[in-house]
Amino acid sequence: MQKAQPIGVFDSGYGGLTVLKEIVEKLPGYDYIYLGDNARAPYGNRSFSTVYQYTLQCVKWFFQQGCPLVVLACNTASAKALRTIQQNDLPIIAPEKRVLGVIRPTTEVVGNYSDCKNVGILATNGTVKSESYVIEIHKFFPDVAVYQQACPMWVPLIENNEHMGHGADFFIKKNLRQLFAQNPLIDTVLLACTHYPLMYEKIEEFTPLGVKIIPQGNIVANSLATYLQRHPEMDKEISKNGHRLFYTTDSTEDFEEKAAIFYGQPIVARHADIG
Ligand code: DGL
């Protein structure tokens, strides 16, 4: 029998750390390997085929590390690459392994937050164009109206640590105005990009009072816990020593500095060669 190995958690850069943080809080005993593809981030404005190729390369890297289960803690990768990897690649390269995303668990519950059945989605260009949230939410909540707004400047502002400065206000206000112009009755706004929780306070400042703002880390963590309960055959493949390893495809010094902000505590990073 193969030795138990960590869960892989992936993002284009730092955003997935906001999800990993919640997963670790929920499931502290498990081992995790995080990979940020910082050298090629952001993914948000890249084409479908580029995001798919990059994500597949990173998934293969996790498999080389031995991970039996990989969570794509990135909406852009989940929207543009997950289905093809699950349906076309996994059966050939690793039929016994699993890759999960963040869109499905989020869309399963987000409709429950809205009283008036009007949900707003804030996300990258890639996620919005994929229409994944609209399609998936309608599967679980056919009576919920979904309004999407791309926020192409938000990830670059966060990656450059400018998101709490006054410069960021312009873009945050602009995109929220565009969202609520689609329907002023929206009462629930989903942060459908794993970077956005870093700007939570600013988003809240410019969002109409009473509107619920939903980050997805906690939702994804709960869903992973349920998945592992339902799949004991996968659960026993995962090592449980409370270990965490952090990898980046770019500079480890830069990663360590910024990752601490996203993850909420200091980390030590290693370099990963991908592709
Ligand atoms: N964190 C990624 C997401 O959830 C987006 C970052 C990027 O554009 O690379 O969509």
Side-chain angles (χ1 to χ4, degrees):
M1 203 180 94
Q2 210 202 322
K3 202 167 131 255
Q5 298 282 358
I7 297 175
V9 178
F10 170 71
D11 183 50
S12 59
Y14 301 105
L17 290 163
T18 64
V19 176
L20 178 65
K21 191 176 155 199
E22 300 285 343
I23 293 177
V24 162
E25 223 172 280
K26 179 94 193 164
L27 300 165
Y30 290 74
D31 296 347
Y32 300 93
I33 298 183
Y34 183 86
L35 173 66
D37 191 7
N38 299 78
R40 303 186 291 193
Y43 281 11
N45 291 322
R46 294 192 187 277
S47 70
F48 269 80
S49 72
T50 303
V51 172
Y52 163 64
Q53 276 168 34
Y54 288 177
T55 307
L56 180 60
Q57 284 171 352
C58 292
V59 166
K60 286 182 176 167
W61 178 88
F62 279 112
F63 290 168
Q64 281 158 13
Q65 313 308 304
C67 300
L69 174 66
V70 178
V71 178
L72 302 184
C74 173
N75 287 275
T76 311
S78 298
K80 292 181 157 189
L82 179 63
R83 186 173 293 249
T84 314
I85 291 175
Q86 285 174 333
Q87 293 181 352
N88 298 355
D89 298 298
L90 269 190
I92 298 164
I93 59 174
E96 70 295 351
K97 296 187 190 262
R98 291 290 171 266
V99 182
L100 306 175
V102 289
I103 295 180
R104 170 75 188 250
T106 308
T107 55
E108 273 176 10
V109 298
V110 72
N112 294 330
Y113 291 89
S114 175
D115 297 322
C116 67
K117 306 291 173 213
N118 291 307
V119 171
I121 306 288
L122 298 171
T124 64
N125 261 329
T127 301
V128 167
K129 277 200 193 130
S130 76
E131 296 269 321
S132 300
Y133 272 97
V134 180
I135 296 165
E136 292 290 320
I137 290 175
H138 283 151
K139 281 188 196 156
F140 299 108
F141 301 96
D143 56 337
V144 166
V146 183
Y147 303 90
Q148 301 194 94
Q149 181 58 48
C151 311
M153 291 301 290
W154 291 16
V155 170
L157 283 167
I158 294 168
E159 293 267 326
N160 290 292
N161 215 11
E162 289 290 344
H163 54 290
M164 293 315 279
H166 292 306
D169 294 6
F170 173 83
F171 293 102
I172 299 173
K173 276 196 228 171
K174 177 181 170 184
N175 294 141
L176 285 169
R177 209 170 35 237
Q178 288 168 321
L179 178 67
F180 285 96
Q182 296 179 50
N183 184 346
L185 295 178
I186 291 169
D187 69 348
T188 302
V189 172
L190 176 69
L191 305 185
C193 171
T194 55
H195 279 65
Y196 297 172
L198 265 281
M199 305 205 303
Y200 188 94
E201 283 157 35
K202 283 261 182 197
I203 297 168
E204 191 177 37
E205 190 182 331
F206 301 123
T207 298
L209 221 62
V211 172
K212 292 173 205 146
I213 302 166
I214 316 290
Q216 61 187 161
N218 187 36
I219 297 172
V220 174
N222 286 335
S223 162
L224 180 63
T226 308
Y227 176 86
L228 292 172
Q229 268 168 15
R230 285 206 192 126
H231 294 275
E233 77 290 352
M234 174 55 76
D235 190 72
K236 74 172 170 26
E237 300 290 323
I238 299 163
S239 50
K240 299 172 186 75
N241 308 297
H243 293 164
R244 292 92 178 82
L245 288 175
F246 296 88
Y247 284 85
T248 173
T249 56
D250 209 345
S251 142
T252 52
E253 289 80 16
D254 287 353
F255 188 84
E256 283 174 359
E257 198 185 310
K258 291 216 191 104
I261 304 170
F262 282 77
Y263 190 57
Q265 54 179 280
I267 62 123
V268 176
R270 302 169 185 212
H271 182 79
D273 274 318
I274 309 279

